[in-house]
Amino acid sequence: MANYRDVPAEPGTERAETSTSTRALIVDPSADSNIGFGEVATPVAGPHQILVGVQYAALNYADLNNARSGRVPVGAPLGLDAAGIVLRGATDGSGPPRRSRVVLFADGAFAERVAVDVSAVAEVPDGVGLAEAAALPTAGLAALRSLRSAGVGPGKRVLVTGASGGVGRYAVTLAALAGAYVVASVGSPARGDGLADAGADEVVEGMAGINEPVDIVVETVGGRQLVRAWELLAAGGSLQSIGWTSAEPAVFPPYATVGPPKTLTSYVNEFDAAADLAQLVRLVAEGAVVPEIGWRGSWERFDEAVDALRGRRVAGKVVFQLSSHA
Ligand SMILES: NC(=O)c1ccc[n+]([C@@H]2O[C@H](COP(=O)([O-])OP(=O)(O)OC[C@H]3O[C@@H](n4cnc5c(N)ncnc54)[C@H](OP(=O)(O)O)[C@@H]3O)[C@@H](O)[C@H]2O)c1
């Protein structure tokens, strides 16, 4: 298993620290996917930031949206999730020191070098691969935090929609670890592969065959599934609305929202993630969470990965290896 001693000693560290540009996957409107390679200015780390030499990065559905939504400007690097080696520690002395292996959650993660606030990184223990660590942040944080805020625990019935995807698989495992009964909803029987091993008590196709009320919903699909999930939610329950991959409107029948109190809560990942990232990598180190990497390859093949994610052919996560480390 790679650790910081056997990872090539920060290839060209000195050059990497001083070079004024860095290769990145950027918003590129001339490309079909709106994503392409470019050179961006090497980020300058602030006093509370570290400079990381990225080795692996994970693609999220959010990146596909960010490439087109205008949230990330044209020419700016995409990405949120990465793992690598600290090239330069924070000058205020906080956070992991130079040469540490870290996972990070930050805008612009699809770049060879990323400056990130120490509040958004965690050290990766020996025994956890950097590829597995990179697969954690966006999806793992959404699953962990939404389940926590919904009050997951023993005896709760948890419905996870889009359970074959990044957020979904982590939510299945984390809910099961908390002692909940987990119903995993997927688009087709084949998309349910591995979910029983990940912790699902039931795997259902769409929303068919769910007859008993649920206490918590981790909802990533939106549209009709959101409406049906709301109907299935028991009094006192919590529906966490995390994503909307269906891109369909949700049309509630009249009076659907009238009755004994239950909540529909919107969710967004905040960047202050160090403690939760540390918890996630610890769970991986213990073998309690096993990141499912359904697509793994060089970032030179990002178009292939984007197609696979869009085409719902990825089980769990897409992880890129940056070419300088291939
Ligand atoms: N709010 C936040 O902070 C936050 C954080 C993370 C993710 N998200 C959002 O949560 C959603 C899921 O993210 P993810 O990273 O888990 O995505 P993902 O890995 O692509 O998984 C999404 C799953 O949704 C299902 N799905 C159902 N209808 C779909 C459709 N029309 N198109 C594509 N997929 C469809 C697919 O399962 P089947 O093929 O089995 O149907 C797929 O496995 C996205 O909308 C993302 O933007 C939000």
Side-chain angles (χ1 to χ4, degrees):
M1 184 65 62
N3 62 35
Y4 71 87
R5 288 175 205 88
D6 53 41
V7 165
E10 311 90 48
T13 298
E14 300 310 323
R15 193 186 64 244
E17 284 186 29
T18 52
S19 169
T20 54
S21 69
T22 192
R23 194 164 184 238
L25 281 172
I26 61 170
V27 177
D28 175 1
S30 71
D32 287 348
S33 61
N34 246 37
I35 304 173
F37 279 107
E39 290 284 329
V40 297
T42 299
V44 177
H48 199 53
Q49 291 188 319
I50 57 175
L51 185 69
V52 177
V54 171
Q55 298 197 352
Y56 294 91
L59 179 70
N60 286 288
Y61 203 89
D63 300 312
L64 308 183
N65 291 339
N66 287 341
R68 296 187 185 279
S69 67
R71 193 182 89 78
V72 179
V74 170
L78 286 157
L80 293 160
D81 300 346
I85 306 291
V86 179
L87 299 176
R88 196 183 305 146
T91 53
D92 69 2
S94 60
R98 179 178 154 91
R99 293 182 181 238
S100 307
R101 304 167 75 234
V102 292
V103 56
L104 65 89
F105 177 51
D107 280 330
F110 292 169
E112 287 176 329
R113 278 161 294 158
V114 173
V116 57
D117 199 278
V118 298
S119 64
V121 295
E123 291 199 48
V124 178
D126 285 351
V128 176
L130 288 178
E132 283 67 30
L136 290 169
T138 298
L141 290 169
L144 179 74
R145 290 168 163 181
S146 62
L147 283 165
R148 184 194 293 146
S149 79
V152 73
K156 299 279 185 183
R157 284 177 63 83
V158 176
L159 168 62
V160 179
T161 63
S164 52
V167 176
R169 282 190 183 248
Y170 288 126
V172 165
T173 298
L174 293 170
L177 281 175
Y181 183 93
V182 184
V183 181
S185 164
V186 294
S188 65
R191 295 289 280 155
D193 284 354
L195 283 172
D197 289 339
D201 295 286
E202 288 177 40
V203 180
V204 298
E205 196 176 336
M207 304 298 264
I210 311 172
N211 299 316
E212 285 186 47
V214 295
D215 303 298
I216 294 171
V217 185
V218 176
E219 214 293 296
T220 63
V221 176
R224 278 169 291 180
Q225 292 209 11
L226 169 57
V227 176
R228 180 63 185 139
W230 177 254
E231 288 168 359
L232 287 165
L233 193 64
S238 170
L239 188 158
Q240 301 280 319
S241 178
I242 293 174
W244 209 291
T245 50
S246 71
E248 280 178 4
V251 181
F252 288 84
Y255 289 94
T257 57
V258 176
K262 54 186 188 178
T263 59
L264 188 161
T265 306
S266 52
Y267 176 88
V268 71
N269 269 334
E270 304 288 349
F271 281 105
D272 187 10
D276 289 335
L277 283 178
Q279 180 175 346
L280 289 167
V281 286
R282 196 165 51 245
L283 288 168
V284 176
E286 291 166 356
V289 169
V290 180
E292 170 90 10
I293 301 178
W295 192 100
R296 187 194 287 242
S298 166
W299 72 342
E300 307 290 344
R301 293 165 54 209
F302 72 90
D303 262 337
E304 219 180 281
V306 166
D307 280 352
L309 192 67
R310 235 187 249 296
R312 297 158 73 170
R313 296 190 301 278
V314 177
K317 298 296 305 171
V318 168
V319 173
F320 299 135
Q321 184 168 21
L322 271 64
S323 51
S324 45
H325 299 279

